[in-house]
């Protein structure tokens, strides 16, 4: 059974190799190769899952040692996989949702002439993400981590003929590099502290290291997580990443990429548990991001960017939960999985809408689409109900647990975090209702474009609607199934450990509050967008709205502080180099040159001047001799 | 007569020769001044030989004469060669270390 673990990664990797090296002769079948290999990986995942269920709770960790990668003295890096409950959850999410997105892409990318290449990149993305979650040491995880970064770069910039897409891809890559640096420093710190970077030994021996070192490792790990998961302060790439084709957005936001940060923090739980300071920073980052993303999501008129803000906010919830320690890890992962279902569904729905609307993304030019696209409307609507936490749907169970865990943090912190999480839930309900109303309700607002082509909204082909329907089922039922008898928590408990939090509020009160704020959010959005017609041109809006439209000035902040600051720093360093360093070198050269110029004049070639120096020298010698004698 | 006076004469001749070497430009005159300096030295050697009552100084004087004769041969040959190529015997013209 263990031998199958390698195959999980090998299948999509083979797909990527075949599709990217196969050339044009594969153009007609390439997308099916991609789907089949992604599906094969999912099937292997299910087989392993079934095998794992048959084992006892503590024996469910499967290992496969492939080969020794870098055996140098005390430095042992192995290519070895570890499949435990946490990895298994990710494997099923990645391959399951990933396969659905592959199928969807066969319809969505039908008219793109570079479709084969697109599927090659998608397969590469899956392979890298699987490597990331299956690695049994941090160095191999880092390989997958970088692979994910590469694949996201290739996919975000897939339409690289558009300058905006090329720029967005570069931005995502560069911002991710900052986070990657954090992760690589964390790995180096681990190696110097523990002498190894395999999960088992590192996480089992956290008591050997001082708390300061553990805090440093935790914070650098968090920096890495912030980059991949688009958390403040490294969040700026996520909105621009919408330049990629919509299935890519779904893949990045639901199954791969942004979930990597949550995985990293949950996997390294032992390090964070031992360092309360690092944990505090994690929850603060999560809480700030959850509000940040939600506020940005409220102001965007671009349907994909509104959803991107929402992802940022939901990942904020997960990071917040992961920062709470053993009371939160399981819920972070549970929310991650339910979010994987409904966010993939929402993005695929958005793609379906765009597909029918000539790639228009401005929600102000949608309206009343529910009659034109009934299947998209229903599946998107179910995803919508799930994300706002409508009682009984997936998002309700997972988000409610996170809010409860936040209150259970205890003390003032608990109240603040719980309040922030509740506020986030209200804003989530508001912006998602806004998206829903602007897209599917009200009057139709679309007009002919510049060339006079009026969009003819129509339902998407089956290849696109079927994945959406499957995901809608997940959005509805996953949360309930996971919460049944606390099945999900018990499943993860051997890996992440679990403690029941002691919330100052009763579970019923938290649930009531969650539902109440959701209703308030929905009502506010309905009052603003449902009761009166939505203007086609965006109103000027308040100061906050305008700031939120510009992603709360994150790019401006980065530009002023980092770009300008960097430029000034570079310029002053260049100035320093020119004046001081070059000055010393050039000054030495010039003074030696000048001195030699002077000395050269002595060598004038006249015999008598040489004679003078000879006589002078002799006179000095004689005088010196006489003087010495006299003394 | 006090032999020390010969030493004074020797110093005088040496100074005249040295001054000539430094001041004059004609290579022949410079050459003759060099000879004058050599001979001033010879005079000093012989005088010291007389003062000390042994023959060492006189022997060295002979050596000096031999060296001077050899030097005259080489020196005059150089001067004649320079004169042929430059039509001048001025030492200042020969300041470039080449013909």
């Amino acid at each position: 059974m263990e031998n199958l673990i390698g195959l999980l990664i090998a299948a999509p990797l083979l797909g990527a190799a075949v599709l990217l090296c196969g050339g044009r002769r594969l153009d007609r079948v390439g997308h099916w190769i991609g789907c089949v290999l992604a599906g094969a990986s999912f099937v292997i995942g299910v087989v392993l899952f079934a095998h794992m269920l048959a084992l006892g709770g503590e024996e469910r960790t499967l290992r496969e040692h492939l080969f020794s990668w870098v055996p140098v003295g005390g430095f042992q890096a192995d290519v070895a996989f570890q499949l435990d409950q946490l990895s298994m959850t990710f494997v099923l999410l990645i391959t399951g949702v990933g396969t659905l997105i592959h199928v969807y892409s066969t319809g969505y990318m039908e008219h793109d002439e570079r479709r084969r290449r697109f599927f090659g990149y998608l397969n590469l993305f899956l392979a890298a993400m699987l490597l990331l979650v299956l690695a049994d040491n941090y160095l191999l995880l880092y390989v997958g981590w970088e692979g994910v970064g590469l694949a996201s770069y290739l996919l975000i910039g897939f339409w690289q003929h558009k300058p905006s897409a090329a720029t967005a891809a570069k931005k995502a890559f560069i911002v991710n590099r900052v986070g990657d640096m954090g992760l690589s420093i964390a790995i180096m710190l681990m190696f110097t502290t523990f002498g190894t970077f395999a999960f088992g030994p590192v996480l089992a021996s956290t008591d050997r290291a001082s708390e300061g070192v553990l805090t440093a490792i935790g914070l650098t790990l968090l920096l890495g997580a912030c980059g991949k998961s688009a958390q403040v302060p490294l969040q700026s790439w996520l909105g621009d990443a919408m330049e990629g084709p919509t299935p890519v957005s779904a893949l990045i936001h639901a199954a791969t990429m942004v979930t990597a940060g949550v995985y990293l923090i949950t996997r390294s739980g032992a390090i964070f548990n031992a360092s309360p300071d690092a944990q505090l920073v994690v929850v603060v980052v999560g809480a700030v991001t959850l509000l940040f993303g939600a506020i940005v999501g409220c102001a965007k008129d671009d349907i994909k960017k509104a959803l991107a803000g929402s992802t940022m906010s939901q990942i904020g919830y997960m990071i917040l939960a992961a920062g709470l320690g053993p009371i939160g890890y399981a819920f972070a992962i549970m929310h991650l999985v339910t979010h994987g279902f409904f966010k993939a569904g929402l993005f695929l729905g958005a793609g379906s809408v765009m597909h029918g609307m000539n790639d228009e993304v401005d929600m102000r030019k949608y309206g009343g689409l529910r009659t034109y696209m009934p299947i998209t409307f229903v599946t998107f609507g179910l995803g919508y109900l799930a994300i706002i936490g409508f009682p009984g749907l997936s998002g309700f169970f997972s988000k409610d647990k996170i809010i409860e865990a936040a209150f259970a943090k205890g003390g003032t912190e608990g109240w603040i975090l719980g309040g922030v999480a509740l506020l986030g839930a209200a804003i989530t309900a508001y912006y998602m209702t806004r998206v829903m109303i602007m897209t599917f309700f009200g009057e139709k607002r679309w007009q002919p474009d510049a060339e006079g082509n009026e969009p003819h909204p129509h339902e998407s082909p089956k290849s696109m609607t079927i994945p959406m329907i499957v995901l809608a089922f997940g959005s509805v039922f996953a949360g309930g199934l996971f919460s049944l008898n606390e099945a999900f928590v018990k499943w993860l408990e051997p890996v992440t450990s679990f403690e029941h939090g002691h919330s100052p509020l009763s579970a019923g009160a938290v649930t009531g509050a969650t539902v109440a704020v959701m209703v308030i959010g929905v009502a506010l959005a309905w009052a603003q967008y449902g009761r009166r017609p939505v203007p086609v041109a965006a109103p000027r809006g308040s100061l906050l709205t305008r700031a939120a439209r510009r992603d709360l000035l994150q790019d401006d902040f980065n530009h002023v502080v980092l770009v300008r600051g960097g430029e000034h720093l570079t310029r002053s360093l260049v100035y320093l180099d020119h004046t001081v360093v070059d000055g010393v070198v050039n000054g030495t050269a010039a003074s030696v040159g000048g001195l030699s110029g002077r000395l050269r004049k002595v060598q004038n070639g006249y015999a008598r001047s040489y004679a003078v120096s000879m006589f002078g020298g002799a006179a000095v010698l004689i005088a010196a001799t006489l003087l010495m004698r006299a003394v | 007569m006090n032999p020390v006076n010969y030493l004074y004469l020797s110093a005088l001749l040496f100074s005249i020769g040295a001054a000539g070497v430094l001041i004059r430009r004609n290579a022949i005159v410079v050459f003759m001044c060099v000879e004058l300096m050599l001979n001033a030295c010879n005079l000093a050697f012989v005088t010291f030989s007389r003062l000390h009552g042994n023959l060492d100084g006189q022997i060295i004087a002979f050596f000096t004469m031999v060296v001077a004769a050899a030097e005259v041969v080489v020196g005059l040959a150089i001067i004649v060669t320079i004169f042929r190529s430059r039509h001048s015997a001025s030492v200042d013209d020969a300041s470039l270390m080449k013909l």
Side-chain angles (χ1 to χ4, degrees), chain A residues 604-612 615, chain B residues 14 18 21-22 25 37 91-92 94-95:
Chain A
N604 54 10
Y606 293 123
R608 53 197 158 86
S609 68
Y610 297 137
V612 168
F615 286 130
Chain B
F14 189 90
V21 168
L22 292 180
R25 289 188 188 170
M37 286 159 70
V91 282
D92 285 4
S95 65

